[in-house]
Amino acid sequence: MEKIIELINLLQVSRAQPQYGYAIAGGNGRIGNLAEHHYLVTMRAWQICELVNSKGAKIDTHKVFKFSLLHDIGELFGGDIGMYYAKANPVARN
């Protein structure tokens, strides 16, 4: 955790990174940001962990939290638009 300040500063960027792919795919008109997306994914993951663990599973909720909070961190450097552009332009993809 020696670089925690750098990580926190990087994650601050997620508040300004829109989910372009969601909008292009026909989202509901409001373009959310990655911070909101990570929050909602983490809340869903927590509830799923609680549910399956209550049924006898042994899911490591702490590890799931970490994965869900960081699962799209690469989007900060490229954005969702890259995937759609690459699909439409195979030459650019290579």
Side-chain angles (χ1 to χ4, degrees):
M1 294 312 282
E2 65 187 51
K3 300 218 178 223
I4 189 69
I5 298 302
E6 288 89 348
L7 175 62
I8 290 169
N9 287 336
L10 174 67
L11 294 176
Q12 287 286 348
V13 176
S14 69
R15 294 170 43 209
Q17 177 66 44
Q19 288 184 281
Y20 293 117
Y22 180 71
I24 291 169
N28 65 5
R30 179 186 177 277
I31 299 175
N33 62 51
L34 284 179
E36 293 168 341
H37 171 67
H38 286 146
Y39 171 78
L40 292 172
V41 166
T42 302
M43 292 298 289
R44 289 178 184 135
W46 172 39
Q47 293 304 303
I48 291 169
C49 285
E50 291 290 314
L51 176 65
V52 298
N53 283 339
S54 75
K55 305 290 183 189
K58 303 283 189 235
I59 303 294
D60 183 343
T61 304
H62 185 250
K63 189 180 283 187
V64 171
F65 274 5
K66 287 190 226 179
F67 287 147
S68 63
L69 286 169
L70 298 173
H71 78 279
D72 265 346
I73 204 72
E75 296 298 330
L76 294 175
F77 304 106
D80 291 334
I81 195 105
M83 179 188 71
Y84 292 94
Y85 181 75
K87 281 185 176 183
N89 300 287
V91 174
R93 176 189 215 168
N94 293 332

